[in-house]
Amino acid sequence: MFKLRREMQAVQFYAETKDKEHLRKWALALNEHYLKIGEMVSSWNKKLDISTLSSLQANVDNQDYTGVLAAVKTLQKSCDSCHSDYQAITALTYRAPDFSTLEIEPLVPFNSHMEKLSKQVNQIKIASEDGMSDLAISSLVDLKKDMSKLGQVCSDCHKKDKVSYPSEQMNNTLLSLENSLKTGTLKEQGMDLGTLAVQACARCHGTHRLAFGTKVLLSKDSSLTDLLKH
């Protein structure tokens, strides 16, 4: 798609400047990559504007620069129409991360580990409110260990730009939470735990969980019964 955008711009530019040699070069590239859309996703073949593409090539061969510009404009409208209908859905389907097959360690699925982290955070909150400081602190120790395990999986995907999880900021909050669980007030404990939840959970969920959840919904074949439920 990036190539097509560039090629259409080049065709328009060289048609406007009446540069037949460069125009022919970019028009041939545009023709090749436009047709590849149907090869990549066969169901999109019916969406391709082959007649306009053929007209564009004929106008290039005949050095009909006005005709080329008209064809490019028509082709652009066709592209814009599909983008409006499919761009977001396609990006979510093919570019969103897939966590369904990940394991934190052998026989420990990714989603099970994430549920465990959630329970640990809640256990800290419950124990904190009920004055069970020893249980709150032991749950925090478990949370730290399991956050580090999660971080090892994060680095498997974030290879080029290494992402440290837990980050230095998260570690500072974990330390502050530990201290507040030992000597702080309920308000201080709640503030530290809330800060950690934003830093360690909400930010990543906003990036990954929503995209993955949407991808799962889009790939699911809903039955008529499922649709009627909603």
Side-chain angles (χ1 to χ4, degrees):
M1 292 301 176
F2 293 115
K3 288 180 179 179
L4 285 171
R5 186 179 293 115
R6 183 166 54 249
E7 287 156 2
M8 289 181 70
Q9 181 176 330
V11 168
Q12 180 179 356
F13 173 73
Y14 287 120
E16 290 172 343
T17 57
K18 299 181 180 179
D19 184 336
K20 63 179 182 180
E21 295 303 326
H22 287 103
L23 176 59
R24 182 175 290 108
K25 165 193 167 183
W26 286 98
L28 288 172
L30 173 61
N31 187 79
E32 176 187 355
H33 294 128
Y34 187 83
L35 293 176
K36 277 190 175 180
I37 294 174
E39 295 176 13
M40 291 187 294
V41 185
S42 58
S43 60
W44 288 356
N45 261 315
K46 59 184 179 182
K47 297 289 186 180
L48 298 180
D49 192 349
I50 303 299
S51 62
T52 298
L53 185 68
S54 299
S55 175
L56 187 149
Q57 296 299 324
N59 289 330
V60 169
D61 293 337
N62 296 327
Q63 297 178 37
D64 180 355
Y65 301 114
T66 301
V68 170
L69 292 172
V72 168
K73 186 175 181 180
T74 300
L75 205 58
Q76 184 63 61
K77 287 181 179 179
S78 174
C79 293
D80 291 342
S81 176
C82 277
H83 286 182
S84 296
D85 292 338
Y86 299 110
Q87 190 173 46
I89 293 173
T90 301
L92 285 167
T93 301
Y94 294 102
R95 293 184 181 178
D98 186 352
F99 301 103
S100 61
T101 60
L102 288 181
E103 291 184 337
I104 296 296
E105 53 191 27
L107 302 180
V108 180
F110 186 86
N111 64 327
S112 297
H113 188 77
M114 297 303 291
E115 290 175 5
K116 184 179 180 183
L117 291 174
S118 179
K119 288 182 178 180
Q120 288 166 341
V121 170
N122 283 323
Q123 185 63 71
I124 293 170
K125 180 65 175 176
I126 293 167
S128 167
E129 288 196 6
D130 292 343
M132 302 176 183
S133 58
D134 288 344
L135 177 57
I137 291 171
S138 65
S139 298
L140 177 60
V141 171
D142 292 338
L143 177 64
K144 288 180 180 179
K145 291 179 181 177
D146 288 327
M147 283 177 65
S148 295
K149 289 181 181 179
L150 175 61
Q152 295 173 12
V153 174
C154 294
S155 62
D156 288 342
C157 291
H158 294 276
K159 298 182 187 300
K160 293 183 179 180
D161 299 320
K162 287 295 183 181
V163 175
S164 177
Y165 188 95
S167 65
E168 182 180 354
Q169 185 184 42
M170 294 176 202
N171 283 325
N172 289 337
T173 302
L174 285 166
L175 179 59
S176 179
L177 176 58
E178 183 178 357
N179 291 332
S180 67
L181 288 173
K182 291 177 179 177
T183 60
T185 64
L186 276 175
K187 183 177 180 180
E188 290 170 335
Q189 294 167 9
M191 289 180 64
D192 284 334
L193 190 58
T195 299
L196 180 65
V198 171
Q199 294 173 343
C201 307
R203 289 178 181 173
C204 290
H205 285 182
T207 302
H208 297 308
R209 186 178 181 180
L210 290 176
F212 173 61
T214 306
K215 177 177 183 175
V216 171
L217 288 174
L218 290 172
S219 60
K220 181 181 178 182
D221 292 327
S222 298
S223 66
L224 180 58
T225 304
D226 292 331
L227 294 173
L228 288 174
K229 287 180 182 178
H230 302 286

